[in-house]
Amino acid sequence: MNLLVNLAGLLIAAFVVWWFWLWKPRQALVSAGRPIDILVDDGIYEPAYIETPKGQPLTLRFLRKDASPCAEQVIFHGLDISETLPIGKPKEIRFTPKQAGTFRFTCQMQMYQGQLKVTD
Ligand SMILES: [Cu+2]
């Protein structure tokens, strides 16, 4: 019995490690001048990995379904953008990335995680 409990604990720990540190989204959604819809629900942004060329105006349309305060804000680290997301109503965030690089976007507690890759 004890062994089983320990095993379960180990599995949970492994899952947490994978979820927070190892998991890397593989499929990038490439913006081609069109707005990108991002669903905010169940602790994840969908899609969570977005690619866009430098110097091209970008529109991200966040639709927040998660009513928990955790999902309330989206912060683009290194881009000086932070917005409050209403529940059940799309929120458009428009900007033109001026430098190439990979920028994280997260909720204020950094539970929700996403990446914006700006290509040269
Ligand atoms: Cu959060």
Side-chain angles (χ1 to χ4, degrees):
M1 188 58 197
N2 252 341
L3 186 72
L4 217 65
V5 170
N6 287 341
L7 204 67
L10 213 67
L11 279 177
I12 290 166
F15 174 77
V16 167
V17 166
W18 172 79
W19 181 256
F20 284 102
W21 289 288
L22 301 179
W23 184 73
K24 288 264 182 299
R26 306 220 169 271
Q27 226 181 358
L29 197 83
V30 182
S31 89
R34 284 183 305 263
I36 290 181
D37 288 305
I38 301 172
L39 187 66
V40 183
D41 200 14
D42 281 337
I44 53 169
Y45 294 124
E46 180 61 51
Y49 190 44
I50 291 151
E51 224 176 272
T52 193
K54 185 175 84 174
Q56 185 181 293
L58 176 68
T59 303
L60 301 175
R61 201 156 46 202
F62 284 84
L63 181 59
R64 173 186 170 201
K65 287 200 167 163
D66 185 353
S68 84
C70 177
E72 193 172 39
Q73 270 184 48
V74 61
I75 298 154
F76 285 80
H77 301 265
L79 291 174
D80 217 19
I81 296 167
S82 112
E83 293 282 349
T84 302
L85 306 175
I87 302 164
K89 203 171 127 237
K91 166 86 180 191
E92 284 196 355
I93 300 176
R94 285 194 209 102
F95 59 99
T96 304
K98 296 208 166 59
Q99 69 183 104
T102 300
F103 303 92
R104 290 187 316 126
F105 57 97
T106 68
C107 67
Q108 68 273 26
M109 295 161 234
Q110 310 205 14
M111 301 293 284
Y112 279 87
Q113 295 267 356
Q115 267 183 30
L116 174 69
K117 189 179 175 192
V118 181
T119 54
D120 253 318

